[in-house]
Amino acid sequence: MTERTELEKMLAGELYDASDRELAGMRERARDLCRLLNASPEADGDRRRSLFISLFGSGGETVNVQPPFFCDYGVHVFLGRKVFFNFNCVILDVCRVTIGDYSMFGPAVQIYTAVHPMEAEARRGREFGRPVTVGSDVWVGGGAILCPGVTVGSRSVIGAGSVVTRDIPEGVFAAGNPCRVIRRVEP
């Protein structure tokens, strides 16, 4: 039986060593692509489109990103059609991030899949992750944070500055820290 790679452990949500050479190379690639994107002129749409296609696991063909934008790996981000990220968004994609069609993210939204163990000694060399899923037609207000392992249902709205620590159902307005459902929204 062969031992699993650190990448395989990471994607499975198990403890893994983030200093692994393969993972470091993948992060370096993503950071280089983000640097090129963030330095690209607004008028160079073809160059940006090529960078989006190279960076994301899927959806780069139709995504709209306002730089600056940052992510850990990029290839673990799977986007539906016409997803929009406003300025200064961050995705820590040590696990899969899935975002449905026509979802929009305000400025400075952060999506985290990375988790560190609560025990100090375990934190010294290992971490793990939990996937994040965002449905279709979701609007996440500026400065919101989506924590590891959460799902936001389709057609929901997350208020600006909210910290989403638990799943949010479909078709609701939710806000606060921690984020909670405020009311239903019309379809």
Side-chain angles (χ1 to χ4, degrees), residues 37-111:
L37 168 65
N38 295 337
S40 67
E42 186 77 25
D44 198 350
D46 290 341
R47 174 71 173 143
R48 284 188 176 179
R49 183 65 49 212
S50 175
L51 290 167
F52 298 149
I53 290 168
S54 295
L55 182 61
F56 295 119
S58 68
E61 301 81 10
T62 64
V63 70
N64 183 352
V65 176
Q66 295 298 307
F69 175 85
F70 304 95
C71 62
D72 264 345
Y73 297 93
V75 295
H76 306 135
V77 178
F78 297 89
L79 305 170
R81 292 182 318 264
K82 304 271 186 175
V83 171
F84 172 76
F85 291 99
N86 211 321
F87 302 102
N88 224 18
C89 287
V90 174
I91 302 177
L92 302 184
D93 59 317
V94 304
C95 276
R96 186 179 181 106
V97 174
T98 305
I99 298 171
D101 299 340
Y102 302 101
S103 288
M104 303 185 310
F105 299 84
V109 168
Q110 300 173 53
I111 300 173

